[in-house]
Amino acid sequence: MIPWDDFRLVRAIAETGSLAGAAEQLSVNHSTVFRRLGALESQLGARLFERSRAGYQPTPTGEEMVRLAERMAEEVNAVERRITGQDLRPSGELRVTTNDTLLVHLLTPIFASFRKAYPEIHLDIVVANPSLNLSKRDADVAIRASDRPGDTLVGRRIASIAWAVYGRPGDCKGALEAPDFRRHDWLGYAEPLNGIKAAKWLRERVGEEKIVYRVNTVLGLAEAVAAGIGLGLLPCMIAERVAGLVRVLPPQPELEAGLWLLTHPDIKATARVRAFMDHAARELGRLKPLIEGHGENGAAKAEAPAA
């Protein structure tokens, strides 16, 4: 019989294309992966990978084993989700994934208040701008800014994230109008954020030649606007909390994105998941005016004249 760990080994090599990548994924050393692969191929009497400059490519036999490993992994994950879903006590570890933008300016106080309310639940926060796979138990709960949160997940849309143009006081004389866009320097988003709505808005209305600074994080762009490099499109919930910024153009409806609180159907009834979902939804609901760009601070800044 082939142990389950050997299937995981073959799958990891196929996914990463290298022994070193597989070793990192499995948290073992390179020599262990090399030795186990050699032993497995000897046991089967067949080569599972072709070695080349491009890396390790599965042979037809290897591909068959990878497909079987993927099916086995799906079954194991499904069993784990069902078992976890039977937990009735709000305790243990809860893994929550979100991005750095939401974490720094929105979620950390909510995590702190949750820990006070549920001291037996230990939070493991995974900051990952790409969406982690909740079906594979990469995380238990996801807090995402998205228009398409995924058909396999359950949860709720908390609010619509508003985006507006911000600058420093004095960057604009009077109201900013569309014909004046190209008279100013602008900050833009670099890869992998150059595909978001804000980046497209800038390309269409401002033009590439007026984008004088690019950065691949929203937090970094907010700091750059505050430093006086130029105007920038920012989520209102971020810009309103950065000192020295004023709103110079109202929120743009076409840039809105949903703020979602999500989990997998198999674990939604778990005590710790249910406790967190209820707590986070309640606390985020209190911040809805800020998130949607019409809180007290946002309104004041929107109406303040740009000196």
Side-chain angles (χ1 to χ4, degrees), residues 123-143:
L123 292 177
D124 182 3
I125 309 302
V126 182
V127 177
N129 289 319
S131 298
L132 296 187
N133 192 325
L134 270 63
S135 298
K136 295 183 178 180
R137 298 300 307 281
D138 291 338
D140 301 308
V141 176
I143 304 175

Side-chain angles (χ1 to χ4, degrees), residues 198-276:
K200 181 180 179 182
W201 190 98
L202 285 170
R203 287 194 295 269
E204 292 178 348
R205 291 164 176 77
V206 175
E208 296 283 355
E209 70 279 1
K210 295 303 296 181
I211 300 175
V212 300
Y213 181 95
R214 298 179 190 273
V215 63
N216 63 353
T217 74
V218 175
L219 296 177
L221 192 134
E223 292 296 315
V225 174
I229 298 177
L231 303 178
L233 272 170
L234 290 165
C236 296
M237 64 183 180
I238 304 302
E240 299 296 335
R241 294 186 170 185
V242 176
L245 292 187
V246 294
R247 190 185 295 177
V248 297
L249 199 66
Q252 304 297 295
E254 65 270 29
L255 299 181
E256 287 184 358
L259 178 62
W260 291 84
L261 183 61
L262 302 162
T263 188
H264 194 279
D266 289 347
I267 63 172
K268 67 178 182 179
T270 304
R272 60 180 177 270
V273 172
R274 188 172 64 251
F276 180 82

Side-chain angles (χ1 to χ4, degrees), residues 57-279:
Q57 301 297 322
T59 63
T61 302
E63 289 177 350
E64 184 176 353
M65 193 167 179
V66 170
R67 287 193 293 271
L68 180 56
E70 290 174 344
R71 292 198 298 272
M72 293 171 68
E74 290 173 0
E75 291 296 323
V76 169
N77 288 331
V79 170
E80 288 181 349
R81 290 196 303 269
R82 287 195 292 271
I83 292 173
T84 303
Q86 296 171 6
D87 178 21
L88 300 178
R89 183 183 177 188
S91 62
E93 182 180 276
L94 183 75
R95 176 171 285 195
V96 181
T97 180
T98 189
N99 62 38
D100 54 355
T101 304
L102 295 174
L103 176 69
V104 172
H105 285 283
L106 195 68
L107 297 178
T108 298
I110 294 175
F111 294 152
S113 62
F114 178 77
R115 279 284 302 135
K116 290 180 180 178
Y118 297 93
E120 293 188 42
I121 300 178
H122 296 177
L123 292 177
D124 182 3
I125 309 302
V126 182
V127 177
N129 289 319
S131 298
L132 296 187
N133 192 325
L134 270 63
S135 298
K136 295 183 178 180
R137 298 300 307 281
D138 291 338
D140 301 308
V141 176
I143 304 175
R144 294 178 182 167
S146 176
D147 292 321
R148 296 178 295 276
D151 296 334
T152 61
L153 304 178
V154 295
R156 62 195 84 174
R157 181 179 174 128
I158 301 297
S160 295
I161 301 174
W163 288 64
V165 175
Y166 287 85
R168 295 196 310 176
D171 283 349
C172 296
K173 303 298 183 182
L176 181 65
E177 302 289 346
D180 298 325
F181 286 173
R182 295 175 185 268
R183 297 174 56 187
H184 298 276
D185 288 338
W186 290 77
L187 287 71
Y189 291 99
E191 292 185 3
L193 297 182
N194 60 349
I196 65 174
K197 294 178 182 178
K200 181 180 179 182
W201 190 98
L202 285 170
R203 287 194 295 269
E204 292 178 348
R205 291 164 176 77
V206 175
E208 296 283 355
E209 70 279 1
K210 295 303 296 181
I211 300 175
V212 300
Y213 181 95
R214 298 179 190 273
V215 63
N216 63 353
T217 74
V218 175
L219 296 177
L221 192 134
E223 292 296 315
V225 174
I229 298 177
L231 303 178
L233 272 170
L234 290 165
C236 296
M237 64 183 180
I238 304 302
E240 299 296 335
R241 294 186 170 185
V242 176
L245 292 187
V246 294
R247 190 185 295 177
V248 297
L249 199 66
Q252 304 297 295
E254 65 270 29
L255 299 181
E256 287 184 358
L259 178 62
W260 291 84
L261 183 61
L262 302 162
T263 188
H264 194 279
D266 289 347
I267 63 172
K268 67 178 182 179
T270 304
R272 60 180 177 270
V273 172
R274 188 172 64 251
F276 180 82
M277 295 283 281
D278 290 343
H279 181 90

